[in-house]
Amino acid sequence: MSAFLAVDWGSTHLRAWRVDERRAMSAIDLERGVASLTPGQAERVFFEEVVPALSGRGLPAIMCGMVGSTLGWRTAPYVAAPAGLRDLAAGLVEAAPGIRIVPGVKRADGSDVMRGEETQAVGWLHADASRLRGARALIMPGTHSKHVRIEDGRIAGFETYMTGELFELLRRHSTLRQPVSTWSDAAFDQGAALGREMGLTALFQARARVVSGVLAAENSESFLSGALIGAECARCESASTIIGAPALARLYARVLGGTAVRDEEGDAALAGLIHIHEAAS
Amino acid sequence: MSAFLAVDWGSTHLRAWRVDERRAMSAIDLERGVASLTPGQAERVFFEEVVPALSGRGLPAIMCGMVGSTLGWRTAPYVAAPAGLRDLAAGLVEAAPGIRIVPGVKRADGSDVMRGEETQAVGWLHADASRLRGARALIMPGTHSKHVRIEDGRIAGFETYMTGELFELLRRHSTLRQPVSTWSDAAFDQGAALGREMGLTALFQARARVVSGVLAAENSESFLSGALIGAECARCESASTIIGAPALARLYARVLGGTAVRDEEGDAALAGLIHIHEAAS
């Protein structure tokens, strides 16, 4: 397979690789997410910053993430779940000659959407042929966590939880804010147990327990993190596979218990981009 | 009963009444919540602004709300649930000669607290002797909504939901923010049904449905309001009594269905302050 560029272009970051013979030979990570771009700027960022940095002049490229939204370079309409590798490859949209964008996935009724996670899911699924059979549950923690149900190698359904965004809003801008924070696994675990059991009402306990003297103020943020992740995972299967940054994946594994599996294989988005590029070639 | 001043002093507002013969004869509402005060300022606000405005020089006073917190005038330690009128009267703390503050209520294990709502609950309970027998469920919507279980006229247990604060954070500062908002009961009802059914994961649908074209952007905020109130009320008894501002109480009554009762009697905080003052006299 000849060389190409693979780009994971989200709201806050742009990560790109030059891929030769299915391996990433060089990589860049820019704070050039689509949320910071003006209309028309994506194309310039790509040709003036990404291509030269990866010696990619004239190479084809494949991109996933918010670059395919109305804020990005060109809109790649959502394909409806169930959707797998072939559906994504068939839904590629050309932004410029040889430059293609992976579509997001929506629920058929339009009640939930993803952009970028479909590529990670495909990357994880196609790394091992045994994953392409039967039912799987994936958890992708983040600003907007995705819980994805896989059936026979395709995304069958999913839900979004605003866990990461709620955590940032609450710890920075709410009455739960504390001037000093020290991480505590014990406070996290306590919050997580309550979040799983009682959902949203666990959040205010991050303050109430401090006010009444049964939680140290500097551990309140750990408790809040646990309460949010616990509430998110109240209905999760403990046999889920967690795909995400190691620090966050560790917390989800604590909440889900011993049978949750953290995926340690490396970059699922890059793997997915390689698979979709091949499937469409 | 001789005249006194009754003060409901919360985080953002101060409301005060001059009470003669159990009736409020004059009232003021100031944007002088304790969150805006510097240390020591509460006493000056009371004697220099509240007392003159109500011709209350030399009268005794009773206060409830955040004025009894560490941010307020003087800390009135929480009494543990179960707690009723006599427990609150016995827990009054003197801030200055003749000026007393109603204590808040905490769960015995310190996992949740209230300040102000205990006084509203007592006001509602003692307005009708039949309410003092048996089990009741009260819902007090607001920035931090309280769900209160009453047993034989006392607060037996309660939970706090950060619904109002989450709504403000999400509509102003999150990725759910929309430039234009038009209220829609239909969008509210749709959000509420999903919030009751699926909890937190309904929140992101306020964005996903807009992005995928099945919800009008200007109705997203109504959907979000419904999703939050629905999630709050997922476990509520439909026979609850709702005590709160009419516009908000209406929304909760929509979510809880036909058997929810909105309390229309007027100011529960004032009624509670009068009862506690009498019980302690």
Side-chain angles (χ1 to χ4, degrees), chain B residues 61-257:
Chain B
I62 186 164
M63 311 187 177
C64 70
M66 293 299 283
V67 67
S69 75
T70 53
L71 295 175
W73 186 341
R74 179 161 175 192
T75 304
Y78 298 102
V79 299
L85 176 59
R86 286 179 198 290
D87 308 287
L88 297 177
L92 287 169
V93 166
E94 201 167 67
I99 316 295
R100 295 186 294 187
I101 301 178
V102 178
V105 174
K106 67 177 179 182
R107 278 196 212 135
D109 70 357
S111 61
D112 209 343
V113 295
M114 62 167 64
R115 275 199 193 276
E117 295 89 353
E118 72 296 323
T119 301
Q120 292 178 264
V122 158
W124 181 82
L125 281 164
H126 287 264
D128 180 339
S130 72
R131 296 174 182 167
L132 297 171
R133 295 186 299 275
R136 309 266 166 177
L138 303 182
I139 295 179
M140 300 173 171
T143 303
H144 295 162
S145 294
K146 303 288 182 186
H147 294 195
V148 184
R149 290 181 302 285
I150 302 291
E151 286 171 17
D152 292 329
R154 298 170 86 201
I155 295 167
F158 62 96
E159 292 92 41
T160 303
Y161 293 84
M162 300 181 70
T163 304
E165 186 168 5
L166 285 171
F167 181 63
E168 288 301 316
L169 287 172
L170 289 168
R171 80 188 186 93
R172 289 177 191 275
H173 301 297
S174 83
T175 53
L176 305 185
R177 191 179 60 235
Q178 293 290 346
V180 177
S181 185
T182 307
W183 185 262
S184 160
D185 275 347
F188 174 87
D189 290 345
Q190 186 181 32
L194 290 162
R196 290 198 82 162
E197 180 191 329
M198 53 179 61
L200 276 172
T201 185
L203 303 185
F204 185 69
Q205 293 195 24
R207 176 171 176 77
R209 287 174 181 267
V210 171
V211 166
S212 64
V214 298
L215 173 67
E218 67 264 29
N219 294 338
S220 171
E221 197 170 293
S222 307
F223 181 98
L224 173 64
S225 173
L228 281 164
I229 295 175
E232 174 188 329
C233 294
R235 305 184 198 188
C236 285
E237 301 170 37
S238 59
S240 303
T241 298
I242 304 159
I243 299 175
L248 202 49
R250 178 184 83 88
L251 297 181
Y252 278 71
R254 283 184 82 86
V255 172
L256 291 168

Side-chain angles (χ1 to χ4, degrees), chain A residues 2 7 18 33 67 86 106 130 162 201 210 215-216 238 271-272:
Chain A
S2 51
V7 186
R18 181 192 163 108
V67 67
R86 285 177 200 290
K106 65 177 178 182
S130 72
M162 300 180 69
T201 186
V210 171
L215 174 66
S238 59

Side-chain angles (χ1 to χ4, degrees), chain A residues 139-142 145 147 163-164 167-168 171 182-193 196 221-233 236 238 240-258 260-264:
Chain A
I139 295 178
M140 299 173 172
S145 293
H147 294 196
T163 304
F167 181 62
E168 289 301 316
R171 79 187 184 93
T182 306
W183 185 262
S184 160
D185 275 348
F188 173 87
D189 290 345
Q190 186 181 32
R196 291 199 79 163
E221 197 170 294
S222 307
F223 181 98
L224 173 65
S225 172
L228 281 164
I229 295 175
E232 174 188 329
C233 294
C236 285
S238 59
S240 302
T241 298
I242 303 158
I243 300 175
L248 201 51
R250 178 185 83 86
L251 297 180
Y252 279 71
R254 282 184 81 88
V255 171
L256 290 168
V261 176
R262 271 187 277 169
D263 175 50
E264 305 279 15

